[in-house]
Amino acid sequence: MTTPQWRIAVDRACKRSGICTAQAPRYFTVDDRLRTRPVAELVDPDGELIEVVEACPAEAISVTDHTGRPVVPSEE
């Protein structure tokens, strides 16, 4: 059985701090219009991605699961 993938989106609130592209270049890139974009819309679940989402100063990155629900880190 395969694990359902997550969907990444970067909204217009992005301030282009570069944190996401520096910390997780396999997930984020800067396009020719100097806007941050996900490298791929769908990705395998990864804790590193959650860390980057939490580090975004503009809270411009969203990650949802296959049902469309926001992915949130587990409270440990």
Side-chain angles (χ1 to χ4, degrees):
M1 178 178 218
T2 61
T3 303
Q5 292 187 308
W6 290 349
R7 181 177 308 274
I8 304 173
V10 179
D11 67 31
R12 292 179 185 225
C14 177
K15 303 290 187 211
R16 292 181 242 142
S17 70
I19 291 172
C20 58
T21 55
Q23 289 185 343
R26 68 183 179 157
Y27 293 116
F28 299 96
T29 190
V30 176
D31 68 15
D32 59 351
R33 297 169 81 186
L34 301 179
R35 289 189 272 184
T36 302
R37 297 284 181 236
V39 170
E41 186 178 355
L42 296 173
V43 299
D44 291 330
D46 186 346
E48 176 188 21
L49 183 56
I50 295 302
E51 291 175 18
V52 173
V53 170
E54 291 179 328
C56 178
E59 299 180 356
I61 304 168
S62 62
V63 179
T64 54
D65 67 14
H66 69 284
T67 67
R69 291 184 184 147
V71 173
V72 293
S74 61
E75 298 290 325
E76 296 185 52

